[in-house]
């Protein structure tokens, strides 16, 4: 027997058949139950654990249909439209579900109908029943009001006026029912009878493309899973080619014999459809998760799904049948590293619209960073050799994440470079200097009031030992009562 706290009292939340045989009921106080039967075993309810168990069962039911939704705290909705023929018909599918749940140790009640409301009533009040389309009213008529999924207070009000079954409500005039008990009563009734549509919202998004393989002999070894992945990817390639797309994110679902489900996902930086490359990505991912995946008695169903896809750019092959793509190898290498070590294992610097050097670059995951594409050259275009090349100012090899303050005791002139400086408790004597290069903060930040930072004057400095540095003066001499400050921002090779 399971108890939960309701108000200031512990009450029965659920009980098994032996407890029901002792005439105990849900909602009864634990003190009263113990007074009647002192030897009963009471366990405190754990809603979070129940929720995790229900979600794991929903994952397992994904083997029958991708449209699986949670129903409160103790039920599941499966939209099996168009799926029953894959299992030999409605009765064969229902028997298979009940048999597998039974061998997993669950006492399950199921119902199959054309509407979610009728299926819910059949499962809870007429277990293992298949309701033909159009016979929903015959099913509901003799059932109690709870079969309509209405609120307890509405149910109590209906019973107080003598309406104790769903059939009595269906034969009563609708207008007085709506005025006295609200429109929710008629809404539930119409949904159960199929007069109004009731959508089943799946807990997980439905993959646009999926292929699966049912296995007569469960597989256990990783090599067998990888071979099966390549076979499924080969089947998936034809569908992707027909749609003109490539996979950007794929998921591998491994359904274990005892009901556990392993879900493994990989991402690609480019649209992908080649089976061998997909196999390599899952090889890395399986190697990383080898200790976390428990095959148990084996997997009897393997499914490969495309979670997201993008347009696939075809490339012209040469006479040898080969295509040249300079970035393909780098993209595959990055994808394999990310599959083994995680999304943040490979980062790519991306330019950001900012004048300040520490804000001009951001590091993004490789797959999220925009791909660099070279524009095609126009044939016959004559290059203008009269224009002089523009050389960008030299930047240090290593740029500090945050500029470090330095001490500058003497400068050649108010706007000139320092003669020496102290950095990290060491004194450096300047022998050569280039600059200044003035960099101001973004004008749009100052206009919006987000920032009011002083101007920076950058210098390239070489000390007496030949080491080169990139430092700057923040602020101007005489511009304010606060003297300028100096910072080290990077070092050259």
């Amino acid at each position: 027997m399971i108890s939960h706290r309701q108000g200031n009292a512990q009450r029965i939340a659920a009980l098994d058949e032996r407890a029901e045989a002792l005439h105990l009921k849900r909602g009864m106080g634990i003190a009263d139950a113990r007074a009647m039967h002192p030897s009963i075993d009471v366990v405190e309810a754990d809603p979070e654990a129940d929720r995790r168990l229900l979600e794991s069962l929903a994952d397992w039911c994904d083997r029958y249909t991708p449209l699986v939704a949670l129903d409160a705290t103790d039920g599941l909705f499966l939209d099996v439209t168009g799926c029953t023929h894959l299992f030999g018909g409605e009765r064969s599918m229902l028997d298979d579900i009940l048999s597998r749940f039974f061998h997993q140790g669950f006492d399950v009640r199921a119902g199959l109908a054309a509407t979610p409301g009728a299926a819910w009533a059949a499962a809870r009040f007429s277990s293992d029943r298949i309701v033909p389309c159009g016979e929903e009213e015959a099913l509901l008529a003799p059932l109690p009001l709870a079969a309509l999924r209405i609120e307890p207070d509405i149910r109590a009000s209906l019973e107080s006026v003598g309406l104790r079954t769903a059939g009595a409500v269906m034969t009563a005039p609708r207008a007085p029912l709506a005025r006295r008990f609200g429109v929710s009563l008629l809404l539930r009734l119409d949904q159960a009878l199929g007069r109004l549509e009731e959508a089943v919202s799946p807990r997980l998004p439905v993959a646009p493309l999926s292929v699966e393989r049912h296995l007569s002999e469960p597989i256990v070894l990783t090599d067998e899973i990888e071979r099966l992945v390549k076979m499924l990817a080969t089947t998936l390639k034809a569908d992707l080619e027909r749609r003109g797309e490539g996979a950007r994110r794929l998921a591998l679902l491994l359904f274990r014999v005892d009901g556990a489900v392993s879900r493994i996902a990989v991402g690609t930086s480019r649209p992908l459809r080649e089976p061998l490359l997909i196999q390599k990505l899952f090889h890395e991912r399986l190697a990383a998760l080898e200790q976390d995946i428990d095959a148990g008695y084996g997997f009897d169903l393997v499914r490969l799904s495309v979670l997201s896809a993008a347009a696939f750019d075809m490339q012209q092959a040469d006479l040898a049948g080969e295509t040249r793509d300079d970035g393909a190898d780098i993209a595959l290498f990055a994808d394999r590293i990310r599959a083994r070590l995680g999304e943040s294992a490979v980062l790519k610097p991306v330019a950001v619209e900012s004048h300040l050097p520490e804000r001009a670059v951001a590091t993004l995951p490789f797959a999220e960073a925009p791909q660099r594409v070279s524009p095609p050259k126009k044939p016959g275009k004559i290059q203008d050799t009269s224009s002089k090349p523009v050389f960008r100012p030299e930047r240090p090899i290593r740029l500090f994440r945050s500029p470090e303050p330095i001490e500058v005791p003497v400068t050649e002139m108010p706007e000139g470079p320092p003669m020496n400086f102290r950095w990290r408790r060491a004194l450096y004597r300047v022998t050569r200097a280039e600059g200044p290069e003035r960099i101001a903060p973004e004008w749009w930040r100052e206009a919006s009031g987000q920032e009011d930072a002083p101007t920076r004057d950058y210098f390239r400095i070489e000390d007496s030992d030949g080491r080169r540095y990139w430092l700057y003066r923040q602020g101007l001499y005489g511009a304010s009562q606060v003297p300028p400050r100096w910072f080290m921002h990077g070092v050259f090779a």
Side-chain angles (χ1 to χ4, degrees), residues 213-221 224 228 255 257 297-302:
R213 180 68 59 88
H214 291 264
L215 306 173
S216 57
E217 292 292 334
I219 59 175
V220 177
L221 300 179
E224 297 175 335
L228 200 55
F255 294 84
V257 174
Y297 293 104
F299 305 104
D300 64 342
L301 173 61
V302 179

Side-chain angles (χ1 to χ4, degrees), residues 135-192:
E135 297 186 10
E136 293 83 9
E137 185 172 352
L139 165 74
L140 294 172
L143 298 182
L145 296 177
L148 296 178
R149 299 180 294 166
I150 56 179
E151 298 296 331
D153 55 345
I154 299 178
R155 186 167 66 244
S157 300
L158 289 169
E159 292 174 349
S160 66
V161 297
L163 301 176
R164 300 183 180 278
T165 63
V169 175
M170 287 187 287
T171 57
R174 294 175 61 91
L177 289 176
R179 286 196 303 268
R180 184 167 182 178
F181 303 104
V183 295
S184 61
L185 171 62
L186 300 181
L187 174 64
R188 284 302 192 186
L189 184 61
D190 291 340
Q191 287 177 342

Side-chain angles (χ1 to χ4, degrees), residues 223-240:
D223 294 341
E224 297 175 335
I225 297 175
E226 292 181 12
R227 285 196 296 269
L228 200 55
V229 167
K230 186 177 180 180
M231 295 173 57
L232 295 175
T234 302
T235 306
L236 206 58
K237 180 180 180 181
D239 296 330
L240 290 171

Side-chain angles (χ1 to χ4, degrees), residues 51-106:
R51 180 77 176 184
R52 291 195 300 268
L53 175 61
L54 191 63
E55 290 179 349
S56 66
L57 296 179
D59 288 337
W60 179 83
C61 288
D62 196 42
R63 67 189 299 137
Y64 298 102
T65 173
L67 301 175
V68 181
L70 302 181
D71 176 35
T73 60
D74 59 352
L76 296 173
F77 274 122
L78 278 68
D79 188 347
V80 296
T81 304
C83 302
T84 55
H85 70 282
L86 301 175
F87 301 90
E90 296 177 349
R91 173 50 62 183
S92 298
M93 181 180 186
L94 193 62
D95 291 342
D96 184 68
I97 293 175
L98 295 175
S99 175
R100 289 178 180 270
F101 270 122
F102 174 77
H103 287 95
Q104 295 177 30
F106 294 99

Side-chain angles (χ1 to χ4, degrees), residues 2 22 115 121 123 141 163 229 278 343 425:
I2 300 176
L22 298 176
T115 65
L163 301 176
V229 167
I278 294 176
E343 292 293 329
R425 299 183 179 181

